[in-house]
Amino acid sequence: MDKYVENVVDNSEDKCVENIQQLESQIPEWIQTWSDYILKGYPHSEKSHDQALELIQEILMAMLNGDSCIERENKNINVLESHVIADTIAETTVAPFVYDDKYLYLYRYWHLEQSLATQVARLKLQRIPAIDISGFEHLLEDQHQKSAMNMVAKHALNIITGGPGTGKTYTLARIIAVLNQAIPDIRIAMAAPTGKAAQRMKEALQNSFDDPKLNEMGLVSDRLKNQETLTIHRLLGLGHQQKPRFHAKQQLPFDVIVIDEASMLDLNLATLLFNAVPENCRLILLGDAHQLASVDVGSVLADLGEVPALQENRVNLLTSRRFKEGALIGKMAKFIQQSENSLPDTTELLTNFGVQVVVPSDIEPIVIQPEMSDIIQLEYLPETIKISDLPEYYQKLSYGFLNYFDVLQSYLNTEDFTEKHKDVVKAFDQYRILTAIHHGAFGLESLNHEMEKVLFQRLPRLVKQGDWYIGRPVMMSYNDYQLGLSNGDIGICFKHRTQSGQFEVYFPSLDKWVSAARLPKNIQTAFALTIHKSQGSEFSHTAVVLDSAATKLLSQELIYTAITRAKTAVSLLVDVQAFIQSLKIKTVRHSGLKDKIILKINK
């Protein structure tokens, strides 16, 4: 059973809800197959076979939606007969399914919740030597940020949440600087779920550590300025077999472990992480509770935030400094958060959006300039899109890459391109197209193909060899331990530095060059990303595309995550009904983790 679950819910984000269009036709067949297989493995009466089959399929479908369990109410679990056991004996007996007083689980997810709850309770109840921060409180002016520093000074488990621009990294940098001063020979680990998130974490921390106030006080050592950031997979030493090097019996050798983008933690990865946190170590989780939950099963950060006993271990930062009062992106983020789950009048919803945020118009080119006011553009797609109209929409979506194309042209024209690749990387990272789906006219594949076409039209000097060409942005879709690349790492193809006529790819998150010939043939072009893959990223400008094919995938968390990837400008190209869906529907995942943590803490 565990092998089945591991195959279905692995760490590849491409096998998640993003691709539900493709899965819809497959789910009934493979779920039927596995349900039949499970039932054949145990003696079962013919009478209850059909009811058991239906219940098993419901559990497997829930898993695909990110739920770790289904509610027991009105479910006749007796039809599962010997396939199901009570939680009271599940520690010593194994069966495909487990039930408690509220929920019915696959055994794997019941066991993961039990294990994670045990570790959360361990960190919560652990007494850790408090640090005197009385001489450093002036480093932070915001009261919530001060509360976060006070919390970390006293507790082993620390959760710092907040929306974009509320100063999570700014606050963290000051906390780490104080810990660095207070704890001799401190050992610090900083990690994030994806390579891109780890890169953003490193850049943001380095900027914060350059603060003159911190350096005047001598709080930032050279070692701290050069602090490495890793993916959680690299931190734990997860290899090909997904067996971690560090675990409960051989824990991580750190005094402080910081995890950024904690909303992306799924149940399995969170359990592996918490198991590996040693005694007398401070664990700091940073994240935005309004962002998308993990791709795989679980909503760990949200569950932790709902445990009453963990309130002293959690601080929510409120004041946004990225979005000034009246800034449109900030207004839209608040509009999404405040939208009710079921407004009866969708016309009223769109009217309110027009009044409070922006009215629909046409997408136009935006020139990003320093200190400019933020911009939101909203263009509605027609109910029926003619194939002949698609090139016009693709052209509009390419506007954000115009600067990238110009910088790439300059790179092609130069004789000495030693450092010019950095200018290309910087220009590319200004803009990205975000979509909810893989297939269709506005899916990931078509968008990347069409942006590539526009690039070759504007730069006719470009030469393509197979799939490779100078300026091709690519993204890893799985972890390659031989190459040292992680799922989500993004690179750009350049001329090979030493071999004429060859290509190599620069991965800025790792400051690493890899020969294009060594990269997998199915590596993804990355002018466009799925919204799930964009988590942990930050761009000056994002275009968010939601057509009618994406309707079943949309939620408040999805569009909130998409628009808050932008610092300055958002261009929305959306189907009206899909847009309404994204504003109205809030994702709720079923989980028993909160209840288990409460029980463990109160024991």
Side-chain angles (χ1 to χ4, degrees):
M1 191 64 200
D2 282 349
K3 287 182 179 179
Y4 161 68
V5 175
E6 287 168 2
N7 286 336
V8 174
V9 185
D10 64 12
N11 287 320
S12 171
E13 296 180 24
D14 293 324
K15 294 181 181 180
C16 70
V17 67
E18 299 172 12
N19 207 13
I20 202 167
Q21 270 192 318
Q22 184 180 2
L23 288 174
E24 278 181 346
S25 61
Q26 300 173 3
I27 286 173
E29 183 178 347
W30 67 257
I31 284 186
Q32 180 72 47
T33 299
W34 278 103
S35 301
D36 288 340
Y37 175 79
I38 293 167
L39 289 175
K40 286 176 183 176
Y42 292 81
H44 211 279
S45 66
E46 185 177 344
K47 181 179 178 182
S48 59
H49 179 276
D50 290 345
Q51 289 176 299
L53 192 66
E54 184 178 340
L55 188 54
I56 291 170
Q57 290 174 358
E58 183 180 348
I59 297 169
L60 297 181
M61 288 291 291
M63 177 192 69
L64 285 180
N65 292 327
D67 299 328
S68 62
C69 53
I70 62 173
E71 293 183 352
R72 265 194 64 190
E73 189 176 3
N74 300 323
K75 299 286 191 305
N76 180 14
I77 63 171
N78 293 326
V79 298
L80 294 175
E81 298 183 0
S82 58
H83 300 71
V84 66
I85 56 175
D87 62 332
T88 52
I89 63 169
E91 292 287 1
T92 55
T93 307
V94 177
F97 305 100
V98 178
Y99 68 88
D100 59 22
D101 58 339
K102 288 185 179 180
Y103 301 113
L104 177 62
Y105 293 84
L106 282 168
Y107 182 90
R108 171 180 170 81
Y109 294 116
W110 175 86
H111 188 268
L112 284 172
E113 283 193 354
Q114 283 288 106
S115 179
L116 180 54
T118 299
Q119 296 303 326
V120 171
R122 171 178 70 91
L123 293 178
K124 164 63 185 174
L125 299 173
Q126 180 178 303
R127 294 184 179 275
I128 197 162
I131 292 172
D132 182 8
I133 61 169
S134 56
F136 303 106
E137 290 182 325
H138 68 284
L139 291 174
L140 294 164
E141 297 179 2
D142 182 275
Q143 188 55 52
H144 295 96
Q145 294 176 350
K146 287 184 177 182
S147 296
M149 183 179 285
N150 278 306
M151 173 180 67
V152 176
K154 300 174 184 176
H155 298 288
L157 175 60
N158 305 276
I159 305 164
I160 302 173
T161 58
T166 51
K168 294 189 294 294
T169 306
Y170 173 90
T171 305
L172 173 69
R174 277 145 185 76
I175 291 171
I176 294 298
V178 172
L179 294 176
N180 185 56
Q181 184 79 4
I183 302 175
D185 302 316
I186 189 170
R187 299 163 301 169
I188 301 170
M190 297 196 182
T194 67
K196 188 64 179 177
Q199 178 194 0
R200 283 289 312 132
M201 185 185 191
K202 183 175 183 177
E203 292 169 353
L205 279 169
Q206 286 176 342
N207 290 336
S208 294
F209 285 145
D210 284 339
D211 190 308
K213 187 183 287 188
L214 294 180
N215 286 279
E216 286 168 10
M217 295 181 66
L219 296 177
V220 183
S221 63
D222 288 340
R223 185 165 65 97
L224 205 55
K225 288 181 178 179
N226 296 317
Q227 174 70 43
E228 186 180 14
T229 57
L230 307 166
T231 63
I232 298 174
H233 284 75
R234 288 195 182 105
L235 175 69
L236 295 174
L238 279 163
H240 292 287
Q241 303 300 317
Q242 292 295 296
K243 292 181 179 179
R245 178 186 171 194
F246 296 101
H247 42 75
K249 294 182 179 179
Q250 183 177 335
Q251 295 178 315
L252 290 159
F254 297 105
D255 304 300
V256 179
I257 298 172
V258 181
I259 304 297
D260 199 8
E261 298 292 343
S263 65
M264 299 169 70
L265 279 173
D266 61 74
L267 188 56
N268 181 59
L269 190 58
T271 303
L272 292 174
L273 171 67
F274 275 69
N275 283 341
V277 176
E279 299 297 316
N280 297 315
C281 174
R282 286 173 167 83
L283 175 64
I284 304 174
L285 304 178
L286 278 77
D288 185 345
H290 295 288
Q291 279 194 36
L292 282 165
S294 61
V295 169
D296 290 327
V297 170
S299 51
V300 174
L301 185 65
D303 289 341
L304 293 177
E306 292 182 2
V307 178
L310 295 182
Q311 290 312 298
E312 66 176 1
N313 302 84
R314 177 176 180 250
V315 171
N316 186 39
L317 306 180
L318 296 175
T319 306
S320 177
R321 288 159 180 80
R322 184 197 297 182
F323 304 129
K324 298 175 183 177
E325 192 64 35
L328 287 179
I329 300 175
K331 277 187 173 182
M332 183 169 177
K334 287 181 180 178
F335 186 92
I336 295 166
Q337 293 169 23
Q338 294 167 0
S339 293
E340 297 190 17
N341 290 353
S342 56
L343 281 175
D345 188 348
T346 55
T347 303
E348 180 184 350
L349 179 65
L350 295 180
T351 300
N352 290 343
F353 186 83
V355 172
Q356 296 180 35
V357 185
V358 68
V359 296
S361 59
D362 289 331
I363 289 176
E364 301 287 347
I366 297 173
V367 178
I368 301 296
Q369 297 175 340
E371 304 302 321
M372 66 184 286
S373 298
D374 61 346
I375 295 170
I376 291 182
Q377 300 182 126
L378 171 63
E379 180 172 347
Y380 288 138
L381 290 164
E383 199 169 315
T384 302
I385 303 172
K386 298 177 182 177
I387 294 177
S388 58
D389 291 336
L390 287 174
E392 179 185 352
Y393 291 117
Y394 295 141
Q395 192 67 37
K396 290 181 178 182
L397 292 171
S398 75
Y399 290 158
F401 286 122
L402 293 178
N403 182 54
Y404 174 63
F405 297 158
D406 290 342
V407 173
L408 192 58
Q409 181 68 67
S410 176
Y411 170 87
L412 292 171
N413 291 339
T414 190
E415 295 295 327
D416 179 15
F417 53 85
T418 309
E419 293 296 315
K420 285 286 185 181
H421 71 279
K422 293 182 180 179
D423 295 333
V424 177
V425 169
K426 185 178 179 181
F428 179 68
D429 274 345
Q430 280 193 332
Y431 175 70
R432 204 72 87 249
I433 303 170
L434 306 181
T435 181
I437 56 178
H438 282 257
H439 306 287
F442 292 105
L444 189 70
E445 293 178 4
S446 293
L447 290 171
N448 278 316
H449 176 70
E450 295 300 329
M451 293 308 107
E452 190 174 277
K453 281 172 60 177
V454 175
L455 171 62
F456 276 88
Q457 289 167 5
R458 291 188 63 87
L459 278 68
R461 285 182 53 196
L462 275 182
V463 177
K464 195 171 186 180
Q465 296 180 16
D467 291 327
W468 292 104
Y469 53 88
I470 293 170
R472 182 191 179 195
V474 292
M475 181 182 65
M476 289 293 293
S477 58
Y478 65 92
N479 299 322
D480 190 312
Y481 299 100
Q482 287 187 330
L483 294 176
L485 297 174
S486 296
N487 185 9
D489 284 344
I490 290 179
I492 297 180
C493 181
F494 292 98
K495 305 172 186 176
H496 201 289
R497 291 166 296 163
T498 58
Q499 299 176 27
S500 177
Q502 299 296 312
F503 298 121
E504 61 182 339
V505 176
Y506 178 66
F507 290 87
S509 63
L510 306 170
D511 191 21
K512 180 174 186 173
W513 292 88
V514 179
S515 170
R518 296 188 64 198
L519 292 168
K521 290 184 178 180
N522 63 347
I523 195 167
Q524 298 174 358
T525 303
F527 290 104
L529 302 176
T530 59
I531 298 169
H532 281 84
K533 285 283 191 182
S534 74
Q535 280 187 276
S537 301
E538 187 176 277
F539 313 102
S540 297
H541 179 192
T542 62
V544 183
V545 188
L546 307 174
D547 71 345
S548 58
T551 302
K552 292 184 179 180
L553 300 176
L554 301 180
S555 65
Q556 292 176 359
E557 293 84 357
L558 194 81
I559 194 165
Y560 174 89
T561 299
I563 66 145
T564 56
R565 298 312 87 213
K567 294 184 290 185
T568 305
V570 175
S571 299
L572 295 159
L573 183 62
V574 296
D575 172 80
V576 176
Q577 293 304 317
F579 188 51
I580 290 169
Q581 172 93 351
S582 69
L583 295 175
K584 290 176 63 175
I585 303 301
K586 185 173 180 62
T587 302
V588 178
R589 288 190 171 180
H590 287 102
S591 163
L593 179 61
K594 178 182 74 172
D595 294 337
K596 289 182 177 61
I597 294 172
I598 293 170
L599 285 172
K600 297 283 185 182
I601 290 174
N602 293 334
K603 264 190 176 181

